[in-house]
Amino acid sequence: MTTSNTKLIFEQSRSGRRAFSLLESDVEVFDLTEELPEHLFRKKAAELPEVSELQLMRHYTALANKNFGIETGFYPLGSCTMKYNPKVNEDIARMDGFMHIHPLQDPATVQGALKVMYDLQEDLKQVTGMDDISLQPAAGAQGEWAGLLIFKAYHEKNGEGNQRKTILVPDSAHGTNPASAAVAGYNVVQIKSNEKGTVGVEALKAALGPDTAGLMLTNPNTLGLFEIDIVEIAELVHEAGGLLYYDGANANAILGKSTPGEMGFDVVHLNLHKSFSTPHGGGGPGSGPIGVKKYLSPFLPVPRIEKQKNLYVLNSDYEDTIGRVKGYFGNFGVNVRAYAYIKSMGAEGLQQVSEDAVLNANYLKARLSEYYDTPYKQHCKHEFVLSGLRQKRKGVRTLDIAKRLLDYGFYAPTVYFPLIVEESIMIEPTETEAKETLDEFVEAMIEIAKEVEEDPDLLHDAPLTKSVRRLDEVMAARKPKVIYQD
Ligand SMILES: Cc1ncc(COP(=O)(O)O)c(C=O)c1O
């Protein structure tokens, strides 16, 4: 039956119905008709739904309930890090002084906002071990691209721009790494991981040459494994005349413990919309600041937020800059959240973040390794990768396991990534989950492993309890049905 809860808001609309009732205003209203030319006026009123306040509330609540979010349940999406972010940071980012200013205002009138960004830059220097920061890039991938433009500018400045055309990327890398390198105009050469899941030093040596512009690395990598040979790797790349790029999207594994600066990296990006209190995913605004060592500082994007005596200024006076990579100065609201998060956690709190993230991941890995194949046995950092190969032999694929988890009330982990593990299941619990929640997830995964043994066909039909069952995912992507049918 179609109830008003399941009806479209347009179907509920009744002419003249309103979601509010206010006293009539006694303030004189500015008459736009005197200002605008006749042809700009709409000929017909906008066909917007007209509903009561209660209908409106139910409409939005029903929409919200259709979604599974971090506030609904456990969301162990490896690499995509869906963690709970303290709501107080949302409130702070929405304070009047932050919300109701405009980037085109005279800097003298927004000194507080500039101070927040300047101080955030200072904090991110500490977090990354870098000498200078730009808050401009709006995402991890954009940070990567901007960082690689800096590689390019550096090599060009040294007269090697035409020669150094290759970026090396391990086969475990996040897809954005090779994509950003290609967009920045580089040839991408893949480095095969060794049997331990990390960059093989010998494979790296073989790939390095006079054409090497640099190496992109995530540490810990997307298998959740720390690249223990990083110091040697950095030396090798530098000796070959290349630079090292640190994909810092996994920073929550090392916060307060180590910095990419100490590991030997030259350029870094962080995903503030992942590790620093802005929700990841959902296509919302992000922030992927980049940090560089001193010798690359002249190439950073402009304008740069600087302090001159007691005044915060926007300085574009840099001859070698790669230019502007984003409108204005970055996604300010995301940066405010990160600032509030860092200040409220403090140095010790950030260390606790990485300790808890690593502890939670190792706890899950240890408890699940009896029931699922664990291709890499060593301790992990913030995430780990299982393989569903054992289950595949019984005719159950990783996708079936992921779909069955929905019946148990969990969001599915990342599946089939990283590509180097067959039937991979990539799990990231994050630091914010309680042990009881982790235990419930383990119980569900163990139950599913038993179902694979006893009734594999059940899993082929999963999810069994959801209003939407198995979709044809290819058709859903290629030919989505976006028309509402009653
Ligand atoms: C390891 C890694 N690198 C890069 C990215 C790209 O970040 P973004 O989605 O902000 O472009 C992600 C995304 O989560 C990631 O997990």
Side-chain angles (χ1 to χ4, degrees), residues 56-196:
L56 187 69
M57 293 308 297
R58 285 183 181 151
H59 167 71
Y60 282 115
T61 306
L63 282 185
N65 287 342
K66 285 198 170 81
N67 197 16
F68 188 100
I70 198 70
E71 284 138 30
T72 323
F74 187 47
Y75 210 127
L77 209 55
S79 195
C80 292
T81 315
M82 300 302 271
K83 75 167 181 178
Y84 180 74
N85 295 301
K87 291 288 168 272
V88 64
N89 301 325
E90 298 284 335
D91 288 345
I92 291 170
R94 282 176 173 74
M95 283 163 74
D96 273 359
F98 294 133
M99 280 276 283
H100 297 136
I101 52 176
H102 194 279
L104 289 180
Q105 260 176 258
D106 181 341
T109 66
V110 284
Q111 284 292 298
L114 292 176
K115 175 176 165 48
V116 165
M117 291 204 276
Y118 180 85
D119 286 355
L120 177 61
Q121 291 177 168
E122 294 300 301
D123 289 342
L124 296 183
K125 284 185 197 173
Q126 296 292 322
V127 167
T128 58
M130 291 285 147
D131 297 315
D132 275 307
I133 301 279
S134 166
L135 299 175
Q136 244 182 61
Q142 203 192 9
E144 292 167 21
W145 170 72
L148 292 170
L149 292 187
I150 291 177
F151 275 29
K152 240 183 170 174
Y154 169 83
H155 290 309
E156 272 164 20
K157 187 90 185 165
N158 290 340
E160 294 189 325
N162 290 333
Q163 168 197 333
R164 298 199 175 269
K165 291 282 188 198
T166 302
I167 291 289
L168 307 176
V169 180
D171 56 4
S172 63
H174 192 268
T176 50
N177 291 187
S180 306
V183 174
Y186 281 114
N187 307 320
V188 180
V189 169
Q190 214 177 54
I191 310 284
K192 205 170 152 27
S193 300
N194 59 23
E195 68 291 346
K196 285 186 254 144

